[in-house]
Amino acid sequence: MMSPTLSIVIPNYNHGTYLEQCIRSQMGSRLSIEIIIVDDASSDNSIDVIKSLQLEGLPIRFFKNKERLGVVPTMNRGISESKGEYIILRAADDLSEASTFSQAIELLESNREAGLSCGDLAYFLNSPEDAAVETLSLSASPAYLSPTQLHGMLGTSPIHSHTAIYRKSLLQRHGLFKSEHRFYSDWYTTLCLACSHGVCYQPKPTAYARLCSTSYANAGSRNATDRATTLKVLTEDLSILPEQLKTDIYHSRALDFFEIDPKNAFNFPFPPCPIPDDRFFLAGMGGTLYRKLKSLDKTRLTYPAYIYGAGAHTDILLKAWNALNLPKPTRIWVSSLENTRTSIQGIEVRKFGDAFDKIGTIIISSKSYEPEMLSTASTRFPNIPIITFWGSGDKT
């Protein structure tokens, strides 16, 4: 039997609710594919869902861990079991745009030096039809970009591993994914491959990520111990990389998540790499927020306006806000004042719900926790208009 061209690896733990939709979204391309599901000792109906779809004749190869190993070892097991030349990693609650697979492989076949193919990522809550797209904007048409061409282009948005199709031989040479990198393992490997070998890019959504505040990445990022341990390993591993690769990763701003100064963490004299405003408002999170604010019916943005959320997302939101010359928000709210800035760009930060006499509009400023924050704000202020950015839907 001929080996498949593309292996789609799905690690699963208790995602039976979403698994069928995820698996069916892999079908429909012209390629020979295999879907490898590695179950990490689930206790829900996941195995029943998988066996039912196998009986339909879907190209599923199923493996089950005897005991729970965790996300990264389960991903690596799936890759080790794969037979394809190219690899997709798909979370069990996310979706693929299978119609983009063929072009991605064609690009990789034509550009044998490329480490991976990628595209834009769409975020959704309930339906992919309501998704918000975060663009990379690396090129206007499908293309290969060398490591040199990527210099300075990733500062507005990282390459999302959701959209990646990896060249398996280079992924194996890199050592697959490192368990010690935890919730950042896919970021580290993807960025190293991209900045070392270049990428092929399709300027359209190639995957859909479900917004979920309890996802593996979000759960890890909220755990202070996990964050500190992960950062320690990352800085140790990044410190021994070649100078150009280290510089490219620094300029990607992927470590902004940890709210540290990478120059101090690496003890390395990084050259400056400013992001032009035209690119900031075109690609990544900044582009999505700018486009939504620009297209917003300004009659819906009534004042006083309160921003709910005080992380890096809010810094980017305010840059887009100011570029559009919108009136200054009244106040920024946070769920907890512990370890939080007292003001952001001159706007006072206060505990959620601490308001003046009137509230005109609430703006939810978070990607990962938007559904949860929308629910909190809607419950507390049921008659106040709420604006969101990432697929949760506005409340009017």
Side-chain angles (χ1 to χ4, degrees):
M1 182 181 294
M2 183 180 297
S3 295
T5 302
L6 177 63
S7 297
I8 301 160
V9 176
I10 304 175
N12 175 72
Y13 176 69
N14 284 349
H15 273 58
T17 301
Y18 303 114
L19 200 49
E20 179 175 356
Q21 185 183 20
C22 172
I23 292 170
R24 292 194 186 281
S25 76
Q26 315 308 319
M27 306 302 297
S29 75
R30 303 190 306 271
L31 298 173
S32 171
I33 70 168
E34 63 174 357
I35 300 171
I36 296 179
I37 304 173
V38 184
D39 185 79
D40 196 22
S42 291
S43 58
D44 67 353
N45 67 331
S46 292
I47 294 176
D48 292 338
V49 172
I50 295 165
K51 289 183 176 180
S52 175
L53 293 173
Q54 280 183 311
L55 290 174
E56 290 186 21
L58 272 64
I60 294 171
R61 297 175 61 214
F62 174 48
F63 303 89
K64 183 172 173 51
N65 296 336
K66 292 181 180 179
E67 59 184 20
R68 193 170 181 201
L69 301 179
V71 173
V72 181
T74 300
M75 288 194 312
N76 286 338
R77 181 183 179 187
I79 296 168
S80 298
E81 298 285 359
S82 68
K83 298 179 181 179
E85 184 177 352
Y86 300 99
I87 300 288
I88 286 176
L89 293 173
R90 182 64 63 236
D93 58 347
D94 291 344
L95 308 175
S96 292
E97 183 54 71
S99 63
T100 66
F101 291 170
S102 294
Q103 186 173 61
I105 300 302
E106 289 170 6
L107 285 166
L108 288 165
E109 291 286 316
S110 301
N111 300 277
R112 299 297 300 180
E113 62 271 49
L116 58 101
S117 174
C118 63
D120 299 334
L121 180 61
Y123 292 90
F124 74 102
L125 179 59
N126 297 312
S127 170
E129 284 75 25
D130 300 324
V133 178
E134 184 173 304
T135 62
L136 270 175
S137 298
L138 297 179
S139 65
S141 58
Y144 167 71
L145 293 95
S146 69
T148 301
Q149 290 172 302
L150 283 176
H151 292 340
M153 292 192 72
L154 300 180
T156 53
S157 176
I159 295 173
H160 293 289
S161 60
H162 306 70
T163 74
I165 298 182
Y166 301 96
R167 193 181 301 278
K168 182 179 174 181
S169 59
L170 292 180
L171 189 59
Q172 290 173 319
R173 190 187 306 172
H174 178 80
L176 303 185
F177 298 89
K178 191 169 181 177
S179 295
E180 292 81 359
H181 291 161
R182 302 174 188 241
F183 54 90
Y184 246 51
S185 63
D186 53 347
W187 161 82
Y188 178 85
T189 298
T190 301
L191 202 51
C192 284
L193 288 175
C195 293
S196 299
H197 303 280
V199 302
C200 297
Y201 171 67
Q202 297 182 79
K204 55 187 173 184
T206 60
Y208 295 83
R210 190 183 301 272
L211 291 166
C212 178
S213 62
T214 59
S215 69
Y216 173 63
N218 288 333
S221 67
R222 281 199 284 198
N223 185 305
T225 301
D226 279 359
R227 281 168 60 99
T229 303
T230 302
L231 178 61
K232 183 177 184 296
V233 177
L234 283 171
T235 51
E236 289 172 354
D237 288 350
L238 289 167
S239 66
I240 61 175
L241 294 177
E243 290 190 6
Q244 185 58 61
L245 180 55
K246 190 187 305 183
T247 299
D248 288 338
I249 291 176
Y250 167 67
H251 285 160
S252 77
R253 302 184 66 181
L255 288 176
D256 285 2
F257 167 83
F258 291 97
E259 298 180 356
I260 61 163
D261 183 350
K263 287 186 178 181
N264 294 333
F266 289 117
N267 191 26
F268 181 77
F270 293 103
C273 185
I275 301 171
D277 279 351
D278 59 348
R279 179 153 181 80
F280 182 91
F281 298 128
L282 176 68
M285 188 185 297
T288 303
L289 300 181
Y290 181 82
R291 288 190 296 272
K292 175 67 182 276
L293 285 174
K294 187 176 182 180
S295 64
L296 187 69
D297 180 356
K298 301 307 184 290
T299 61
R300 294 183 51 238
L301 188 58
T302 55
Y303 291 81
Y306 289 76
I307 293 176
Y308 181 19
H313 188 284
T314 297
D315 293 295
I316 297 172
L317 172 61
L318 288 174
K319 184 170 182 177
W321 192 286
N322 295 334
L324 292 167
N325 295 314
L326 296 173
K328 186 176 180 179
T330 304
R331 186 170 283 174
I332 295 171
W333 282 336
V334 290
S335 298
S336 171
L337 291 173
E338 186 177 356
N339 298 320
T340 300
R341 294 171 285 179
T342 58
S343 67
I344 300 176
Q345 298 184 29
I347 304 171
E348 185 181 26
V349 176
R350 299 293 294 269
K351 184 76 178 293
F352 172 72
D354 187 347
F356 295 109
D357 291 339
K358 179 185 177 184
I359 301 174
T361 310
I362 299 172
I363 300 96
I364 306 295
S365 183
S366 174
K367 182 196 295 181
S368 300
Y369 304 107
E370 183 181 87
E372 184 177 84
M373 293 166 69
L374 174 61
S375 176
T376 299
S378 299
T379 301
R380 178 74 177 273
F381 301 104
N383 300 316
I384 301 297
I386 301 176
I387 294 171
T388 65
F389 296 92
W390 299 102
S392 298
D394 294 342
K395 173 182 170 293
T396 57

